[in-house]
Structures are given as C-alpha cells and as structure tokens.
Amino acid sequence: MHKHNVFDETATLTEFWSQRVLQESNGTLLKVAKGIDSTRWHSHDDQDETFLVLSGKLIVQLRDEDVELGPGDLFTVPQGVEHCPVAPEEARFLIIGRSVTSNAAGGKPEWSYTES
Amino acid sequence: MHKHNVFDETATLTEFWSQRVLQESNGTLLKVAKGIDSTRWHSHDDQDETFLVLSGKLIVQLRDEDVELGPGDLFTVPQGVEHCPVAPEEARFLIIGRSVTSNAAGGKPEWSYTES
C-alpha cells in the first residue's frame, strides 16, 4: 500500500499518450498520462474509459459531439463508443480502466513513441 | 454521457462524510465527498476503496501506520483492511469503490448526519 501523487507522477512522464499504472482498485487500473495534439479514432470493446483532467485541456471527440475537459473535469467513455482524444495544449490526466490502452489499438499515434 | 467537475461538485456538498455518486465505470462508482474530524474504524469486506484528495488534508489511519494525503495524493485501502479516515482540516476528495460506503458500517460518524 503506497500513495502516489498524480501531479508528481505526470510531471515525470517522458512519452505522450503513454499510460503509467499507479494503483489497482477493484479490478480497474488507476493510470496517469499526458497528451498533446491528436490520437486516432478508436473504441474499447472490453472496458469503459474514464478521464479526470489534472491540467491543460483535453477534448474527447465523439462521433456526435466534442466534450471539452479542463482541470477537475471527469468524463467516462462507455465501452464500445468511438472516441478520439485531442489536446490543443499539453494536458495531464488520470485514466481509469481495466487495462493499459496506450497502444496502436487504443489510438496512440505513431509519432508519440520515443526511442528506447 | 455527461461530464462532472469534481471541484464544483464537492463545493455543493452539504453533509460531511456523505458520498455523491457522479459516474459509473467498469462496475465501480466514482464518488465525491468532504470530511472534517474523524470517522470510525471500519473495513469493507466487499471492495477496495481508493481516495484521491482534491483539497485539504486527509489522514487515512491504518492499524500500523498513518497515511497522510494532500492534494493530488492517491491511495487505495485494500478490501478487508481496517482504516479510519481523519481530516484535521476540511478535506475534499474523490472516492472510487463498488458501492456507496458513507453509512454506519462504513464509519460515518453519528454527528455528521444532517436533518432532512
């Protein structure tokens, strides 16, 4: 049982749109990430995906509306719903979901991968 | 699908140690609450309980240590682990768990109930 500070954790992320798992709770993962520019359209057939913005602005594009999120805004994309998150300025956020989704199937853009 | 602002939501809470459900994600509830003074020792046999402090200070007393949480601190009390949250100053926080636990079994103190 350890605590994590979500602001400190997001400050040390090096790669955009890459999730770091902090804790597990009731079968879901509590993750942090940072974003800039656009991801790609995708959906998750196995899980809901919840965003809580910590700083900046995150626009969760859905097929029929854009949901604009600022600090403290909480929003859940239901399982199976197509979405495309966009960050017009750098955004840092908490993500809650069953697994890590920062991969090609989860909309992570090609340019965002750092050399390792 | 609606967004909620966790700061706005906690600002309108009237009763201490009473949880308001904002959203549901993967079978868990995303809830907000505010606290002052002490709850009572208890445990949850059916769920982990995660706290994310939004403002103030929340001390999650465990039998063998006190975990002090400030803004941005995330901490999960595992299922079955005895705990007693205390707020030396008013604290506002997000709680993630399977059900609403702000009741007598969940440690809600007698004084905190408002007349209705």
Side-chain angles (χ1 to χ4, degrees):
Chain A
M1 285 183 284
H2 295 285
K3 66 177 180 180
H4 295 88
N5 187 278
V6 295
F7 299 112
D8 293 346
E9 291 288 340
T10 53
T12 59
L13 293 169
T14 54
E15 189 171 283
F16 287 98
W17 306 112
S18 193
Q19 300 167 4
R20 178 186 295 168
V21 176
L22 301 183
Q23 295 177 28
E24 188 275 337
S25 180
N26 295 306
T28 61
L29 300 180
L30 307 171
K31 309 171 285 183
V32 288
K34 65 176 182 178
I36 189 77
D37 296 332
S38 185
T39 58
R40 292 175 297 100
W41 282 95
H42 65 283
S43 62
H44 307 290
D45 291 336
D46 60 344
Q47 64 193 287
D48 303 325
E49 187 163 69
T50 297
F51 297 90
L52 175 64
V53 173
L54 303 170
S55 67
K57 186 195 289 188
L58 185 71
I59 301 172
V60 180
Q61 299 179 109
L62 305 173
R63 287 300 186 189
D64 57 352
E65 67 173 321
D66 289 352
V67 182
E68 188 173 316
L69 306 177
D73 282 338
L74 183 75
F75 182 71
T76 300
V77 179
Q79 181 174 330
V81 170
E82 284 188 294
H83 56 289
C84 180
V86 171
E89 56 183 272
E90 183 176 318
R92 298 177 180 186
F93 43 93
L94 180 76
I95 306 180
I96 305 169
R98 289 196 195 278
S99 62
V100 171
T101 54
S102 49
N103 46 39
K108 192 174 195 302
E110 190 68 31
W111 61 261
S112 70
Y113 291 88
T114 51
E115 302 287 341
S116 61
Chain B
M1 288 184 282
H2 294 287
K3 66 178 179 180
H4 295 89
N5 187 280
V6 294
F7 299 112
D8 293 346
E9 291 288 339
T10 53
T12 60
L13 293 169
T14 55
E15 190 170 282
F16 286 98
W17 305 112
S18 193
Q19 299 167 3
R20 177 186 295 169
V21 176
L22 301 183
Q23 295 176 26
E24 189 273 340
S25 179
N26 295 308
T28 61
L29 301 179
L30 307 170
K31 309 171 286 184
V32 288
K34 64 177 181 178
I36 189 77
D37 297 332
S38 185
T39 57
R40 291 176 299 98
W41 283 94
H42 65 283
S43 62
H44 307 290
D45 292 336
D46 60 344
Q47 63 194 285
D48 303 325
E49 186 163 68
T50 297
F51 297 90
L52 175 64
V53 172
L54 303 170
S55 67
K57 185 194 293 189
L58 185 70
I59 301 172
V60 180
Q61 299 179 109
L62 305 173
R63 288 300 185 188
D64 58 352
E65 66 173 321
D66 289 353
V67 181
E68 188 172 316
L69 305 177
D73 282 339
L74 182 76
F75 182 70
T76 300
V77 179
Q79 181 175 329
V81 170
E82 284 188 293
H83 58 288
C84 180
V86 171
E89 56 183 271
E90 183 176 319
R92 297 177 181 184
F93 43 93
L94 180 76
I95 306 180
I96 305 170
R98 289 195 195 280
S99 63
V100 171
T101 55
S102 49
N103 47 38
K108 193 174 196 301
E110 190 68 30
W111 61 261
S112 70
Y113 290 88
T114 52
E115 302 285 343
S116 62

